[in-house]
Amino acid sequence: MIRRNRIMRVSPAIRAMVAETILRPSDFIAPLFVTEGENVQEEISSMPGYFRYSLDLTIREAKELWSLGIKSVLLFVKAPDSVKDNKGTEAVNPNGLMQRAIRGIKDAVPDMVVMTDVALDPYSSYGHDGIVDGIEIVNDPTVEVLARMSLSHAQAGADFVAPSDMMDGRILAIRNILEQNGFDKTGIMAYSAKYASCFYGPFRDALDSAPGFGDKKTYQMDYANSREAIKETLMDIEEGADIVMVKPAMAYLDIMRIIKDRTTVPVSAYHVSGEYAMIKAAAANGWLDENKAILESMTSIKRAGADLIATYFAKDAVRLLNA
Ligand code: PBG
């Protein structure tokens, strides 16, 4: 028998007919970095082409994302040093920048799905995701604050809270506090398999949130492990997570595939700051075609099982899809 596999690759039309993985604008979650002030637009030095915006410009950006067909934003705030402490005081401030940003975006683009980062690092004088005691990042007191932080985001109008801290038991605590306060339509997107990764470096520049001592290896996962990702993810789902996440993306596509096969909730991937920076740097040197690298990367993440992709390339990807 003669079998000619290349028949299915003869022309763009045939290739389009048999393509298994098709990106859509609604696959993407656009992360946004919000900073205080008005008409402020600051390029992040290690993330060329990506900006911190004041709330007015963040709202303008959200409108543009919506017009492109992107349905979701994931909010991060850069808190001034003056409000940072070791208790997460500012994280639960009803008039904090995060809470104002949620209200502002929901007012301007009511149908946009607003997701919020829940972790203490932007508010921590130590740059850690939790409360610090000596050299330890203490679990249970942190979970208590993360739950109150989630409630305050829900009260401001967030559609999903996205705990990125990797403390134990936080999904259940968040689900409970939301239920007890009548927020039975607020979702939880859990960063379930979040690895201690060097690829978060540029993000920490964006928020000025690098840990002041040590690293995050006592709470984020060891990249040597994959079975642990299953344990973490299944527990988050049991505790009430609506969407689970694998993070970073490109070096963890094996994890994505395992999690997709072992779960029945939507799975998101986070194509993180360092992954963005690598493509940008190579493209700036003329070593890679940026547009092709974006589409190939995003398609590979979806092919590995991601239903949703948080990425700093969201807008670029959608523009390329529409081109
Ligand atoms: C904070 C948080 C981080 C990222 C998302 N939420 C940084 C970290 O854990 O140190 C990383 C995102 C990126 O690198 O794009 N908990």
Side-chain angles (χ1 to χ4, degrees), residues 11 15 18 44 61 66 77 120 133 149 157 192 211 260 299:
S11 68
R15 293 195 294 273
V18 299
I44 298 147
E61 184 73 9
W66 184 259
V77 297
L120 294 185
D133 183 6
M149 182 179 182
S192 297
K260 184 59 179 275
T299 303

Side-chain angles (χ1 to χ4, degrees), residues 31 33 47 74 76 117-122 127 129 162-165 191 194-195 197 199-204 207 209-211 216 219-220 247 270-275 312:
F33 298 124
M47 299 177 71
L74 178 56
F76 297 92
D117 189 65
V118 173
L120 294 185
D121 48 328
D129 288 20
S164 66
D165 52 285
Y191 287 65
K194 176 170 178 177
Y195 286 87
S197 171
F199 294 108
Y200 308 149
F203 174 97
R204 295 172 188 173
L207 296 191
S209 62
K216 299 191 176 186
Y219 42 109
Q220 299 176 351
K247 177 184 179 193
Y270 200 139
H271 187 255
V272 301
S273 56
E275 302 179 89
Y312 306 99

Side-chain angles (χ1 to χ4, degrees), residues 166 192-196 217 219-233 246-248 251-256 258-259:
M166 290 299 281
S192 297
K194 176 170 178 177
Y195 286 87
K217 290 180 181 173
Y219 42 109
Q220 299 176 351
M221 285 176 48
D222 183 347
Y223 55 72
N225 298 344
S226 62
R227 295 168 65 243
E228 192 180 4
I230 304 172
K231 179 176 74 168
E232 288 279 1
T233 304
V246 174
K247 177 184 179 193
Y252 297 84
L253 295 183
D254 57 328
I255 308 298
M256 172 56 68
I258 295 170
I259 294 302

Side-chain angles (χ1 to χ4, degrees), residues 18-77:
V18 299
E20 295 174 34
T21 307
I22 316 290
L23 294 167
R24 317 169 286 175
S26 54
D27 294 334
F28 297 105
I29 299 169
L32 294 174
F33 298 124
V34 192
T35 192
E36 291 285 2
E38 237 176 274
N39 203 24
V40 179
Q41 164 170 346
E42 296 163 346
E43 189 169 24
I44 298 147
S45 56
S46 51
M47 299 177 71
Y50 219 78
F51 297 85
R52 276 188 300 262
Y53 292 118
S54 50
L55 184 48
D56 51 337
L57 299 188
T58 302
I59 289 171
R60 190 185 70 183
E61 184 73 9
K63 287 180 181 163
E64 189 188 340
L65 292 166
W66 184 259
S67 75
L68 289 168
I70 293 172
K71 309 283 184 212
S72 176
V73 292
L74 178 56
L75 303 183
F76 297 92
V77 297

Side-chain angles (χ1 to χ4, degrees), residues 247-313:
K247 177 184 179 193
M250 300 294 287
Y252 297 84
L253 295 183
D254 57 328
I255 308 298
M256 172 56 68
R257 173 44 60 194
I258 295 170
I259 294 302
K260 184 59 179 275
D261 289 343
R262 295 285 299 256
T263 59
T264 54
V265 299
V267 183
S268 62
Y270 200 139
H271 187 255
V272 301
S273 56
E275 302 179 89
Y276 173 89
M278 286 195 295
I279 291 179
K280 281 288 184 183
N285 276 292
W287 297 338
L288 270 183
D289 179 316
E290 180 172 335
N291 292 342
K292 289 179 178 166
I294 292 170
L295 288 180
E296 184 174 337
S297 299
M298 296 304 139
T299 303
S300 72
I301 296 167
K302 187 168 181 183
R303 190 192 63 228
D307 299 292
L308 294 164
I309 307 171
T311 172
Y312 306 99
F313 284 125

